[in-house]
Structure formats: C-alpha cells, structure tokens
Amino acid sequence: GPIGGRFCNRLGPRVLVAAGLALNAYGFWQFSHLTGQVGAWDLFWPQVWQGAGMGLLFVAIATAALATIPKARMTAATGLYNVVRQVCASVGIALAATRVDVATHRYHDVLAEQVTRYSGETWQQLRHITGAMIGAGADPGTAQQRALAILNGRVTQQAVVLAYNRLFELAAVLFVVSLPLVWLLASRRETEAELAEAARNGGPPGGSPARGRVQPARPAPNPKVTGTPPPPPASTWSTTTGCANQFPSLWAIGRRSGRRGPGRARGRGR
C-alpha cells in the first residue's frame, strides 16, 4: 500500500505494473509444483511473492486509471472502476472454480484407469488397508469396501492437486502474456505533461470541459467608469482613541461657516 504509492510517484505506473505481473507470475509458478504432502513453508514464500505483486499491481493500476480524471467526475470514475474490478474478479473466480472442477474429474478418470486389481501396487495397497480394517474389528466384506473407498479418496486427492497445479500454471502464463500490455499505460512524464497542459488551459485533461461544473460568471465591464477611481474622503486621526474618524476636516468646516456671512460668524465668535 504505502510502499507501492511511494514507488508509483517516483517510477510511474509502468514499472510497478510490470514488477507486479512478474512477481505474481513467479508466485503462481511456485504454486504449480504442489504435492499431496505439501507443508506450511511450501505455501509461505509463494504467498509472499503473490502478496507483494498484488500490492504493487493494484496501486499502480488504480493510479493510472484515475490520474487524469477531473475532480467533478472523480466520484463516478471511482465507482465505475470498483464495479468493473469486482465484476471481473467474480467472473474470474467462477471460471477458475469451473476449471478446477472439470480438471478434477478428468484427472480422476485418467488416474482411475491405472488403479486396477491387476496392478501390483494397487493390490498391495488394498491388502494392507483391508488387513488394518479387519484388525480393527470389521468383517472381511466391510473391510474390503472401506479399503476401496479409501483408495478412491487417495486418487481423488491426487486429481485435485493436479487440477490446482494446472490452474496455477495457467495463471502464471496469463501474467506473463499480460506483460507487453504495460506499454499501453501512460508513463509518468506523459501523465505529468497532460496534467500541466490541463492546468494551463484551465480545464480538465483532454481539453473538454467537465459536465456539471458551474463556471463562475465574470462581471461585465461598465463603460461609464473610466479613468482613475476618486480619492477616499478626508479623515482625521484621533490620537486619543487611536482610530480614524470619518468626518470632514476642520478646514472644510471653516469654509462652510464662512459661507454663512460675517455677521453670523462674528455673532457666534462672541
């Protein structure tokens, strides 16, 4: 997750998708060599390679798919991406389960042809299992029937292991075949160039405006307003209060009092 995101920002999606496909191919190829006596450590390292590959793969694919989507469409694009991924994953799981079921029946038929009463190995296994059942208290007829059932279960187990091995081989081949498709992804430089061009044009990547985006309306120029704006009204600064008093200056008050006549001015002066 976080490691894949850091590498994706530095190297781009192509390198991470290629590395994820290669790691998954190697992990599934190791899974294709399982046997009936497989242990926990035989499954540990293939799971490690597969987990690392899936982490790199999904982070890079999601980044490449949503990198150039405008913000107005990001919700719809994310929903569509998740729906497609879930549907394709469900279809893939269904096809894999069908493949395993069909291959199990086919391998069971192939192995059962080699297990006959005329085979020395088969006769030895039946005699050993039948003797163990008789020693446990079963009658000879019941012991023989149980021995045949146990032998059939062993054949079915080998058929299931072979079916899963073939499925893992097919998955490894599909991951290898998908490697050339990495070149269809946009590189990190191409994505950055597209985003920079969209930022210069003031729109989403690709040059087409996003639907649903409300463009802010610009105010129309007023032809009556020309020249420089008028100066602000005169104000006096009050050192007592520390704020500007929005009143006419004393000189303007003197002019207004002088217009009323000398008599009224001298009368007020008295």
Side-chain angles (χ1 to χ4, degrees), residues 192-237:
E192 291 178 354
E194 187 174 356
L195 292 176
E197 182 181 359
R200 288 193 301 266
N201 296 335
S208 60
R211 294 183 178 179
R213 177 177 294 181
V214 179
Q215 300 293 338
R218 297 182 178 179
N222 190 359
K224 297 182 179 180
V225 180
T226 55
T228 58
S235 62
T236 57
W237 184 263

Side-chain angles (χ1 to χ4, degrees), residues 56-244:
L56 297 177
L57 190 63
F58 282 120
V59 170
I61 290 178
T63 303
L66 304 175
T68 58
I69 302 297
K71 293 183 179 180
R73 299 180 180 178
M74 184 60 68
T75 303
T78 305
L80 180 61
Y81 170 77
N82 291 330
V83 167
V84 172
R85 189 181 67 176
Q86 295 294 334
V87 170
C88 292
S90 301
V91 173
I93 292 173
L95 293 176
T98 304
R99 174 74 179 178
V100 168
D101 186 67
V102 173
T104 299
H105 286 85
R106 184 175 69 250
Y107 285 119
H108 184 275
D109 295 339
V110 172
L111 294 176
E113 292 177 356
Q114 310 298 325
V115 181
T116 62
R117 291 181 179 272
Y118 302 101
S119 174
E121 183 67 23
T122 304
W123 181 255
Q124 184 179 0
Q125 289 288 333
L126 285 175
R127 186 176 59 180
H128 177 73
I129 297 173
T130 302
M133 291 297 174
I134 293 175
D139 58 277
T142 304
Q144 188 176 7
Q145 294 294 329
R146 292 180 178 177
L148 290 174
I150 291 175
L151 190 61
N152 181 68
R154 291 180 178 178
V155 172
T156 304
Q157 180 184 9
Q158 295 297 324
V160 171
V161 172
L162 290 174
Y164 275 103
N165 285 345
R166 299 293 84 78
L167 178 65
F168 292 143
E169 285 183 359
L170 179 61
V173 171
L174 290 178
F175 278 111
V176 173
V177 171
S178 301
L179 279 173
L181 301 178
V182 173
W183 297 103
L184 298 178
L185 297 174
S187 62
R188 182 174 61 89
R189 295 181 180 179
E190 294 174 355
T191 304
E192 291 178 354
E194 187 174 356
L195 292 176
E197 182 181 359
R200 288 193 301 266
N201 296 335
S208 60
R211 294 183 178 179
R213 177 177 294 181
V214 179
Q215 300 293 338
R218 297 182 178 179
N222 190 359
K224 297 182 179 180
V225 180
T226 55
T228 58
S235 62
T236 57
W237 184 263
S238 173
T239 57
T240 334
T241 58
C243 61

Side-chain angles (χ1 to χ4, degrees), residues 20-21 23-24 28 48-60 175:
L21 291 175
L23 289 176
N24 277 284
F28 278 106
V48 169
W49 301 124
Q50 184 181 0
M54 287 295 181
L56 297 177
L57 190 63
F58 282 120
V59 170
F175 278 111

